[in-house]
Amino acid sequence: MLDTVLRCVATLVVFLVFPLVIGQTEHKVMAHMQGRLGPMYAGGFHGWAQLVADGVKFAQKEDIVPAGADRRIFQLAPAVSLLPYLFVLLAIPVGPDGFVGQAIDAGLFFVLAVMGVGVIGKLMAGWASANKFSLLGGLRTAAQLMSYELPMVLAAASVAMAAGTLSLPGILDAWHWYWLPWQIIGAFVFFTAGLAELQRPPFDMPVADSEIIFGAYTEYTGLRFALFLLSEYVGILVVSALTAVLFLGGWHGPMADQLGWLWMLLKTFALAFVVIWLRVTYPRLREDQLMRFAWVGLIPLALVQLALTGIIKVAIS
């Protein structure tokens, strides 16, 4: 019982700290790549106070609920968007020998199902805000979820087929380095679909500030708006960690028994850096381009990966 409590507490600490580290890293990386002055100089040494300034800014803003909004749903939406990622983190293995918050036999199915719940929070926000831009953002979110959930599941299914299990620790136990070449297509599909589900650039049409003001978040202020931003950074952590587990071997590396957790963190944060890099590099897709990319691009690639995995699995068995 004590061991379970300690693991849950450790997961909560990771949940609260690592997303803030990713957010601070995004400030710094974008500042270097785009020549932004504030994040580099706020507070002195390398802009250490930028994250503090952002937190104070959100905390001091008034919490406003529009008069025409569905008040209870409006207030509940940020929590529904954020909390599912905490449960996903509980199931992601960090190291060998059971170094995981809670081992689940069907862990892959669990994490994919729970991640979809987080998107419902954005739908609730868009519907309850009594704002046409928010509603449009919510509808775009729904369309994007339906389009990109399928290739994400198919890419994950190819890994489960190769490992012969839905357990995330079991997948890592069965993982081999020779998986990297023939699972590269699935890795690309899974990671890209994960970015689209998080509505990260270039897949951020549901929150396009230049077109629909900020989508489902238009009417949110203060800490409730901050919770939506925090859920995005937690989502980056989750998608990066899952990609590392499924396709990059997770804790596998030199001296895995002692340093497995270190390899897992390095792979996760390397992928998080790629997420930030893509935000700076690529322009936003149009809505029709975004939908076409899923149905014409990613889904056929995911099916090819699934067929290739089946062929190789039969050939080596």
Side-chain angles (χ1 to χ4, degrees), residues 271-291:
L271 290 170
F273 174 80
V274 173
V275 174
I276 299 169
W277 193 358
L278 290 174
R279 173 178 179 176
V280 179
T281 305
Y282 288 98
R284 179 184 302 132
L285 296 175
R286 294 198 317 262
E287 188 67 20
D288 62 315
Q289 292 172 331
L290 188 145
M291 294 293 106

Side-chain angles (χ1 to χ4, degrees), residues 171-191:
I171 289 173
L172 283 175
D173 289 337
W175 191 87
H176 296 281
W177 291 105
Y178 70 78
W179 284 18
L180 289 175
W182 57 276
Q183 289 289 345
I184 190 65
I185 297 175
F188 169 77
V189 172
F190 186 89
F191 188 66

Side-chain angles (χ1 to χ4, degrees), residues 13-311:
V13 170
V14 169
F15 179 75
L16 294 176
V17 174
F18 282 11
L20 297 180
V21 173
I22 293 174
Q24 182 76 340
T25 302
E26 182 172 56
H27 280 134
K28 303 305 178 186
V29 171
M30 293 181 66
H32 278 292
M33 291 183 174
Q34 297 180 331
R36 299 185 178 193
L37 297 181
M40 295 304 300
Y41 296 102
F45 177 71
H46 208 66
W48 65 268
Q50 181 63 48
L51 187 62
V52 177
D54 288 340
V56 172
K57 177 185 71 174
F58 286 125
Q60 70 181 5
K61 285 187 175 181
E62 183 180 1
D63 182 20
I64 299 174
V65 179
D70 187 326
R71 189 177 187 89
R72 181 167 296 179
I73 300 299
F74 183 88
Q75 293 175 334
L76 188 61
V80 175
S81 180
L82 177 61
L83 288 179
Y85 292 115
L86 173 61
F87 301 111
V88 171
L89 286 175
L90 282 170
I92 298 178
V94 180
D97 301 324
F99 195 179
V100 57
Q102 181 61 54
I104 302 174
D105 290 339
L108 182 58
F109 176 81
F110 171 81
V111 298
L112 293 176
V114 174
M115 283 176 65
V117 176
V119 181
I120 295 177
K122 300 175 179 63
L123 297 177
M124 293 168 59
W127 180 262
S129 292
N131 180 299
K132 62 182 180 181
F133 295 110
S134 298
L135 179 59
L136 181 58
L139 293 175
R140 285 183 174 183
T141 298
Q144 196 159 313
L145 170 65
M146 292 175 62
S147 298
Y148 285 89
E149 188 76 13
L150 182 56
M152 192 175 189
V153 171
L154 290 174
S158 71
V159 178
M161 180 188 297
T165 178
L166 288 172
S167 168
L168 293 178
I171 289 173
L172 283 175
D173 289 337
W175 191 87
H176 296 281
W177 291 105
Y178 70 78
W179 284 18
L180 289 175
W182 57 276
Q183 289 289 345
I184 190 65
I185 297 175
F188 169 77
V189 172
F190 186 89
F191 188 66
T192 305
L195 292 183
E197 287 209 2
L198 294 177
Q199 300 168 13
R200 291 285 302 182
F203 306 103
D204 59 336
M205 283 304 298
V207 295
D209 54 314
S210 58
E211 299 177 21
I212 53 176
I213 316 304
F214 220 70
Y217 315 144
T218 300
E219 298 293 347
Y220 283 88
T221 59
L223 291 178
R224 297 189 194 280
F225 182 76
L227 287 177
F228 277 118
L229 294 184
L230 181 60
S231 70
E232 181 177 317
Y233 290 123
V234 181
I236 294 173
L237 176 64
V238 167
V239 169
S240 299
L242 281 176
T243 304
V245 167
L246 296 177
F247 299 99
L248 301 180
W251 46 260
H252 284 280
M255 300 178 63
D257 291 339
Q258 294 79 26
L259 300 178
W261 59 272
L262 178 60
W263 304 129
M264 179 64 185
L265 291 181
L266 287 176
K267 293 173 184 178
T268 299
F269 278 99
L271 290 170
F273 174 80
V274 173
V275 174
I276 299 169
W277 193 358
L278 290 174
R279 173 178 179 176
V280 179
T281 305
Y282 288 98
R284 179 184 302 132
L285 296 175
R286 294 198 317 262
E287 188 67 20
D288 62 315
Q289 292 172 331
L290 188 145
M291 294 293 106
R292 188 182 304 113
F293 182 62
W295 293 100
V296 178
L298 293 187
I299 291 178
L301 283 176
L303 291 173
V304 168
Q305 176 66 75
L306 202 60
L308 178 62
T309 301
I311 292 170

